[in-house]
Amino acid sequence: MELFTIIIPRADNHEPQQLKGLLQQELGDLHTHPQGVLIEEGGQSSPIDWIACRGVLPGFQLSKQGEQVWQRAAQALAEYVLTVKEEPLVRSIISKVKQLDESEYDKIQEYCMHLLNGAEDIGGRESRHRRKAKLVRLIHAYLSEYTTLHLDGFIRFRMESYLSELREVVEYAVDEFILERQYQEFISLLKYFVYIQDTKIPLAHLVHKGGHEFELMNEKWEPLEPMHVVEGMIVEMLDGDMEMEDMIVSTLINVSPGRIVIHTRDAESQVIKTIQQIFEARVDVCEYCSSCQSFFVAGKGLTLDLAD
């Protein structure tokens, strides 16, 4: 008794075996039981491979065992789609994005797969479980009604909600990638401005009291007046792109210290990392010294509040 046949266009000779293995694993005892099911494969001489599941007669009873077979087969097929088909589907979606060069596809694909399967902070594993449950429902409903499933056609025409989710992930990843690319280009330009400027003061102490609160001193620990007007291009770019970091970065670029010592208790802060990227070897980070200790107890000097 034919229960279902899955047709797979031959793209990789290992794909049918992977699917067969998943079906055998899921069907388990039914596959080995003399009154259970038999899994067969074919299509060796054509570009199409097929895997069929048949009930072993006379013992197999569709009314009693059919629902269990369809459910387990749906589990196997859903896992196959996620394991074998999902990454090529993501790659195909990425290849249609006009803002990207082909050389950037691999980075976007890697990020997408991380978001889909591995990013714990945004529920990557939960997302995979949810996608699999969605696919199981779609495949189960189909197998309980039809006996032949053309896998690629089923993915294209019957899994639109799943494909839409993949497209959303790709769109998010592309947006993040482009923003990061623009940010790095911007940092490179600021580094160029720092490079061409003459040094105006030998040393600046930047006390990071936490969050967006800073105090800027010269080498004598005297307050430095913030100078908001710097080269017009820099001001415009900083105001548009740097947001919370713009005041401290523009002030440092304007006073052009030969060396910057950042006194902080949060060396991993994004603004600290940005300053390090721009000024590179000029920057030293101090997480504790006798000179800066008092600033974290009783504030003195000039405060630059970047949240305003």
Side-chain angles (χ1 to χ4, degrees), residues 83-238:
T83 303
V84 176
K85 293 292 188 179
E86 187 166 81
E87 192 163 348
L89 287 170
V90 167
R91 181 71 173 212
S92 176
I93 296 169
I94 293 171
S95 68
K96 296 178 176 64
V97 179
K98 295 181 180 179
Q99 302 101 306
L100 298 175
D101 296 328
E102 190 171 348
S103 60
E104 298 171 323
Y105 289 174
D106 288 345
K107 292 181 181 178
I108 298 293
Q109 179 177 317
E110 183 180 355
Y111 185 42
C112 287
M113 300 315 297
H114 179 66
L115 292 173
L116 287 166
N117 300 314
E120 290 291 346
D121 55 333
I122 58 172
R125 292 187 181 181
E126 291 183 9
S127 174
R128 191 184 195 280
H129 291 323
R130 179 177 47 75
R131 294 198 311 283
K132 184 173 180 178
K134 179 190 295 185
L135 295 182
V136 168
R137 289 192 297 270
L138 290 170
I139 297 167
H140 176 272
Y142 185 90
L143 290 178
S144 62
E145 187 173 353
Y146 303 99
T147 57
T148 302
L149 188 152
H150 293 259
L151 187 57
D152 281 8
F154 185 83
I155 293 172
R156 180 177 299 178
F157 299 111
R158 299 270 185 159
M159 293 186 176
E160 180 55 35
S161 61
Y162 167 69
L163 294 176
S164 294
E165 186 170 345
L166 296 187
R167 285 191 284 268
E168 288 176 5
V169 170
V170 170
E171 183 178 349
Y172 173 81
V174 169
D175 288 345
E176 289 292 302
F177 180 82
I178 291 174
L179 284 173
E180 177 62 21
R181 184 174 62 187
Q182 292 172 342
Y183 174 77
Q184 292 302 328
E185 290 171 354
F186 178 57
I187 292 295
S188 295
L189 188 54
L190 291 182
K191 287 164 67 174
Y192 170 73
F193 280 114
V194 170
Y195 174 76
I196 64 174
Q197 277 189 308
D198 293 330
T199 298
K200 296 179 181 177
I201 63 173
L203 173 64
H205 292 282
L206 181 63
V207 181
H208 177 213
K209 298 182 69 174
H212 313 302
E213 189 177 353
F214 291 84
E215 297 180 15
L216 187 59
M217 314 285 173
N218 64 17
E219 71 278 8
K220 298 178 181 179
W221 291 90
E222 297 169 342
L224 281 170
E225 292 294 332
M227 302 176 72
H228 301 283
V229 180
V230 293
E231 296 293 331
M233 186 186 301
I234 300 177
V235 170
E236 181 179 352
M237 292 169 62
L238 287 170

